[in-house]
Structures are given as structure tokens and as C-alpha cells.
Amino acid sequence: MSSLVVNNLTVSHGAIRALTNVSFEVQQGELTAVIGANGAGKTTLLRTLSGLKDAESGSATWRDRNILGKRPEDLVRRGISHVSEGKSVIPELTVRENLVIGGLWRRDKSGTEKAIKEAVELFPRLGERMSQSANTLSGGERQMLAIGRALVSRPKLLLLDEPSLGLAPLIIEQIFSAIKNLQTSMNLTVVLVEQNATSALEIADTGVILNLGELVASGNAKDLLADPALKSAYLGY
Amino acid sequence: MRQLIGTLLIGLTLGSIYSLMALALVLVWRSTRVVNFAQAGQAIVTTYIAYEIVTRTGVFWLAVLFAVVAGALLGAGVEYFLMRTLFRHVDEGPVAALAPVIATLGLLGVIKSLVGMIWGNDFRSFYPPVSTDNFVLFGETIPFSRFNILVILSTTVVMIIFSFIFQRTDLGLSLRAAAFQPEIARLAGIRVGPIRTIGWVFAGVAGAIAGVLITPNDVLSPASLDVLLVFGFVAAVIGGLESLPGAVLGGVVLGIGVSFVLNYVGTTLIFPTVFVVLLLALIFKPNGLLGSKKVRSA
Ligand SMILES: Nc1ncnc2c1ncn2[C@@H]1O[C@H](COP(=O)(O)OP(=O)(O)OP(=O)(O)O)[C@@H](O)[C@H]1O
Ligand SMILES: [Mg+2]
């Protein structure tokens, strides 16, 4: 059964068309990589799916219910968590507070504490820095914190926007393996936006390739990786 | 020596009231990115309400209670009916940045003329719960009264309650998260809209308390809180405009400065002094007294 269904989605920023008739589906428990160069519309796609941006036309449903035109704070309550582009943490708060805010809406303190514990198990470096200001974290730690915050909301669908941006290869590897780990252990559905095409497609089940706002290919991640035409045209290697 | 201590104590009294007004302005600024000139108008309405209660019942604390509730309601009302409407209709370009501020300035004018129509423009006195007579120690008068002690104590209690709410409660965490990064707060599930209204409610409460505390040492008229607004704003800027502890410290620093000028120089130099203090603060501590270069403090 398809969990996330995007159909003919068109989104504009004023006069600029960022996505044109994009359609794809993600199955329950599947990890999909969304690949594309700068300006391809990846961020716009995620922002539309999480309620931060309004669509112009088309549809998007999660578990058979419309998600377009909804508020992000309501979509979180339906299990959709978005880690937005560029280390989405609040630098003025402590590491712990950044995690806690993900669970405030559930009004279940012990559940939140448990989720925080699990996030810290996944990213032990956060555990040593709980009372530090998030401002003092390194780029990689911030990314871990941003993902941790999303996990505290207990998502069913995780939207990740370029978690590897600006990070060293070793840290990227750690974060990617954590993402893969989450998908399998928590049966999460994941949409992973990346420019890091190969690494992303290697951990993904399926992939979607965008170019200038249009979908140019989608399907099994292994097949996309092996397609020589795609390789030279869009995957950049 | 006695005059020095008296000056400091008066400075602390004035400063604690400026701090409250500064807190009100900072709370609104953080949540909505608007300098709320109408804060003085909201506070003048609540102070007249308190005046009515205190002249009818003679119970000061009942008057404070009414002022606080009215302040909360007015704050919520201005945010909900004025700000939201504006933000809904003008959301782009230079007008969008300016319109809300101009609107609060306009609202201040409207409120002051309404208050003038209802209560008249003549000065009224607001009877304090305890004496405003200066203490006499060893035959010498110290410019400090029981009421001033009460002012310092009550603002301290208010500050402690505020800092508890902001630092120790879920509501406070939501307020801070929504103020600093509204988008991330929403993605975390925080309902930023209602949280913003609550920020205005706290601001309304702080402004209302400032109004009832400053008036017994002064007179009440539709324009009597205008100076408090200016000083509160200067204190907020000195404190960095983002930081609640900064606003409190800014208020105290300004209050002590003002008190020194009052006691040693004279009233005429008050505004130039405040202006100089503001300039010095902006030049030497542009991120606020407590601010660092990198990040605002919560
Ligand atoms: N707020 C905005 N206002 C106007 N145009 C925008 C806005 N955000 C994005 N765009 C435009 O929409 C298009 C898609 O941008 P988007 O950010 O979705 O791309 P992306 O694939 O995430 O790129 P990157 O890899 O650089 O993050 C681009 O042409 C961009 O200039
Ligand atoms: Mg992007």
C-alpha cells in the first residue's frame, strides 16, 4: 500500500515555478531519496509536504488523507516530521530543550523522556551536551540534534532536507547509517532529499530524480544508480 | 552619603518600573517583531481602571488585580484583532515591515483620546496603599518611602514569576522557541499563533503593573505614561531588545542614571541624559548589556 502519494504537484514562489506536475509514491516503511541539482525544487517539495508552503495544483496524501494546505503543527500530529534545510535547531535553546520541544504537543512527559533517551542512544554525542546551548554544537552535532528533535515527535513519515550539507565524509556516513537504522528499526517511511546522489541512493529503496522542477526519473534505487544515462546527466559522476 | 544612598534607592524604584515596561516591549518584539507603541495606551487604560477601583473601594490590591486582568485581555485583543488582521492583508514589501508599528502608534493616539473623552484630561491622583512620605532618619529626610519599598518588592516578585514561567515551564519553552525560530517551532508541533497571543498577554500584564506602580508617585492623565514608554523602550534597547534579563538590567541601569541626574543636576537634563545613555549603549554594547556577538540569550 502506498503511504505517501504525490500527484501532479505544482508549486510556485510568486512568478517562479519551482515544481511542475510532479508525481510519485512512497510505500509504507520505504526510504526514498529525492535527488537533484541546486534549484531542482527538492526543498520546495519537502516544504509543501510538511505544510510550510502552499501548492498551486495537484494533490498529496499521507495514508489516504490530504496533506496539502494543512498547518505544519497539525501534520506533526498526524506523524509527519520535517527536518528543514540547514541544521534545523534553535540556537538560543539548550540541546535538551531542542529535543523536548518535539514532544510538547503530546503532553506525555514520560513518553517524551523515553523518546529523548532513544534519540540520545542513536546519537550519543548529544547525551554529553544536553545542558549546553545548541549554539555551541558543531555542524554534525546540530544535524543530529535536528533529527533527534524530529524523532521525539514520534513520526511515521520523516522528511529530511540535505542532512549531509556541509559535513565531513565520516559524519555523513554516521548520519546516513543512523537514518537507515531508524527506517528499519522503527518502520519509518523516509523521504531523504540529497545532492549527495550516490550515498543517498545506496541506502535508499527507491529514488526520485528532479531537474528544474520536473521529475525526470523515478523507481528502484539500484536501477537508478545503474542507469548510465542518468549518471552523466543528473547524478554528476 | 545619605543623599547617595537615597539616589540609588530611588533609581532602583524607577528602574524596576522601567524594567517592567521594557519586559512588555521585549515580549511583543520577540514574538511578533513589532515595537508596540500602544503598550503605553493599554497601560493607561488599565491604570484608569485601577484608579476607579481604588477610589471606590480603597483596596489597592483589588485595583492591581483588575488592571492585570484588563491588561491581559487588552494585550490579547490588540494582537488578535489588530495585528492578525494587518498581517493577513499586508504581507509583502516595505509596507509590511512598517504597517504594524504605525498601527500601534495610531492605536496609542486613539486610546489616549478615548481615555480623555471618558475621564477628562485633568490630572488625578492615585492613592497608594502605603505612605509615599519620605523616611526620616536621624533628623534627615531620605528621598525614599514605604511605597518605594513596595514597588521594588512587587516588581521583584513579578520578575521571579516571569523567569520561572519562561525558564521552567512548557509554556515558557514554547514561548521562547516560537519567538526565536517560529518555523522550527511549528515543525516541532508548537501552535505558534496562540503562543504569540500569550506573549502579548504577558506583555499586557507587565505593562499594567508598571502603570499602577508608577502612578502613585506621579499624577494620572491620558498622557502620563508616555515618558514611561520612552524610558521602557530605551531600557529594552540597552538590554538588547531580545533578552528578558537584559530588559530588566537595562531598566535598572537607566533608572539609576535618571535618579542621579534628577538629584544632582535637575529635571531639564533628563531626556538628554537618557539619549546619551542610549547612544553609549548602542556604541559599546550593540547586542545588549548581556548580549554576546554570536547569539541572543533566551
Ligand atoms: N522563497 C523563495 N522565493 C522565490 N523563489 C524561491 C524561493 N525558494 C525557492 N525558490 C526558487 O525555487 C526553485 C527551487 O528551489 P528549491 O530551494 O526548492 O531547490 P533545491 O532543489 O532545494 O535546491 P538546493 O539544492 O540548492 O537546496 C529555485 O529556482 C529557487 O530559486
Ligand atoms: Mg534545498
Side-chain angles (χ1 to χ4, degrees):
Chain A
M1 183 196 88
S2 284
S3 283
L4 177 67
V5 181
V6 175
N7 198 7
N8 277 325
L9 188 65
T10 299
V11 184
S12 298
H13 299 281
I16 301 167
R17 169 78 48 100
L19 289 175
T20 312
N21 288 327
V22 169
S23 305
F24 66 94
E25 298 187 1
V26 182
Q27 309 297 315
Q28 161 67 39
E30 198 173 76
L31 196 166
T32 293
V34 176
I35 309 294
N38 291 109
K42 309 180 295 295
T43 296
T44 303
L45 173 65
L46 286 201
R47 290 176 70 83
T48 308
L49 296 181
S50 70
L52 288 172
K53 177 91 188 104
D54 283 332
E56 201 173 299
S57 62
S59 69
T61 58
W62 163 246
R63 298 191 168 169
D64 301 324
R65 282 170 63 203
N66 169 43
I67 54 173
L68 295 184
K70 304 287 177 197
R71 296 196 184 102
E73 52 268 42
D74 291 322
L75 292 178
V76 172
R77 288 162 173 77
R78 283 173 53 189
I80 303 179
S81 277
H82 178 188
V83 178
S84 53
E85 194 169 23
K87 291 137 200 140
S88 111
V89 304
I90 303 184
E92 289 87 353
L93 304 183
T94 64
V95 169
R96 205 189 134 68
E97 286 171 337
N98 266 283
L99 293 170
V100 170
I101 57 171
L104 288 177
W105 61 271
R106 282 190 297 143
R107 296 178 193 290
D108 165 18
K109 292 233 167 185
S110 64
T112 298
E113 285 308 318
K114 197 161 158 268
I116 290 176
K117 230 185 189 160
E118 287 167 15
V120 169
E121 270 162 31
L122 186 69
F123 300 119
R125 293 164 72 156
L126 296 180
E128 304 151 21
R129 295 171 172 73
M130 292 297 266
S131 56
Q132 255 170 256
S133 153
N135 182 47
T136 63
L137 297 185
S138 71
E141 290 159 357
R142 282 189 196 210
Q143 195 61 62
M144 294 173 191
L145 179 55
I147 298 174
R149 186 262 298 154
L151 293 178
V152 173
S153 297
R154 291 248 185 265
K156 310 279 189 311
L157 171 62
L158 188 59
L159 308 172
L160 299 169
D161 199 343
E162 294 203 51
S164 73
L165 194 72
L167 304 184
L170 196 66
I171 307 283
I172 297 180
E173 214 170 283
Q174 282 176 20
I175 288 186
F176 274 26
S177 87
I179 293 169
K180 187 71 194 167
N181 191 336
L182 283 172
Q183 179 215 353
T184 45
S185 68
M186 299 173 68
N187 195 25
L188 267 181
T189 308
V190 182
V191 177
L192 172 64
V193 158
E194 268 299 335
Q195 286 202 49
N196 221 318
T198 335
S199 326
L201 285 172
E202 270 165 6
I203 65 164
D205 304 304
T206 56
V208 168
I209 299 178
L210 294 178
N211 188 41
L212 299 174
E214 293 188 42
L215 187 139
V216 291
S218 67
N220 188 294
K222 301 276 166 317
D223 299 343
L224 292 174
L225 263 177
D227 189 327
L230 286 175
K231 244 185 210 178
S232 54
Y234 305 111
L235 303 183
Y237 63 94
Chain B
M1 187 63 197
R2 217 157 273 160
Q3 199 189 354
L4 181 69
I5 293 175
T7 307
L8 279 175
L9 288 172
I10 289 292
L12 211 54
T13 315
L14 286 175
S16 61
I17 300 175
Y18 300 162
S19 300
L20 280 175
M21 187 46 102
L23 271 184
L25 294 167
V26 167
L27 282 170
V28 165
W29 170 257
R30 295 210 312 185
S31 75
T32 319
R33 303 287 139 184
V34 169
V35 175
N36 183 20
F37 287 105
Q39 201 77 60
Q42 294 163 240
I44 204 72
V45 171
T46 56
T47 308
Y48 269 99
I49 290 174
Y51 164 82
E52 288 293 337
I53 304 287
V54 90
T55 45
R56 274 151 216 256
T57 67
V59 187
F60 182 77
W61 296 110
L62 190 66
V64 173
L65 180 70
F66 269 78
V68 162
V69 172
L73 292 175
L74 271 173
V78 174
E79 195 279 329
Y80 197 84
F81 294 108
L82 185 64
M83 289 300 128
R84 288 194 190 208
T85 312
L86 275 177
F87 284 122
R88 210 171 305 129
H89 293 282
V90 269
D91 58 357
E92 258 178 81
V95 176
L98 211 53
V101 187
I102 301 295
T104 68
L105 201 54
L107 182 61
L108 174 60
V110 171
I111 292 178
K112 275 162 67 177
S113 53
L114 281 178
V115 166
M117 270 150 56
I118 298 172
W119 281 285
N121 288 311
D122 44 330
F123 293 155
R124 311 202 175 200
S125 23
F126 189 118
Y127 293 102
V130 294
S131 169
T132 50
D133 294 341
N134 290 332
F135 287 117
V136 178
L137 266 189
F138 310 112
E140 271 191 77
T141 314
I142 295 181
F144 195 65
S145 64
R146 281 180 208 285
F147 182 69
N148 291 9
I149 296 182
L150 183 77
V151 168
I152 294 176
L153 285 182
S154 17
T155 46
T156 309
V157 169
V158 172
M159 304 287 177
I160 290 172
I161 295 174
F162 266 58
S163 83
F164 177 82
I165 292 174
F166 274 86
Q167 297 300 326
R168 294 288 146 89
T169 67
D170 288 352
L171 174 62
L173 181 55
S174 303
L175 279 157
R176 285 183 291 139
F180 291 126
Q181 296 286 338
E183 186 175 296
I184 297 176
R186 297 183 76 189
L187 292 177
I190 294 171
R191 295 197 186 283
V192 167
I195 285 290
R196 178 176 305 148
T197 312
I198 293 173
W200 281 70
V201 164
F202 280 115
V205 167
I209 297 174
V212 286
L213 289 182
I214 205 161
T215 305
N217 276 330
D218 202 337
V219 290
L220 181 61
S221 77
S224 65
L225 294 183
D226 290 1
V227 174
L228 176 62
L229 176 75
V230 174
F231 287 7
F233 184 57
V234 171
V237 172
I238 295 176
L241 210 51
E242 296 277 351
S243 152
L244 301 178
V248 173
L249 188 63
V252 171
V253 166
L254 190 68
I256 290 175
V258 164
S259 171
F260 268 90
V261 177
L262 272 177
N263 274 335
Y264 291 95
V265 189
T267 353
T268 45
L269 281 184
I270 289 290
F271 277 98
T273 310
V274 170
F275 184 61
V276 169
V277 170
L278 177 65
L279 281 184
L280 289 177
L282 287 177
I283 291 166
F284 293 105
K285 290 296 258 172
N287 296 301
L289 290 174
L290 302 173
S292 65
K293 280 207 188 69
K294 280 201 192 104
V295 76
R296 307 168 286 199
S297 62

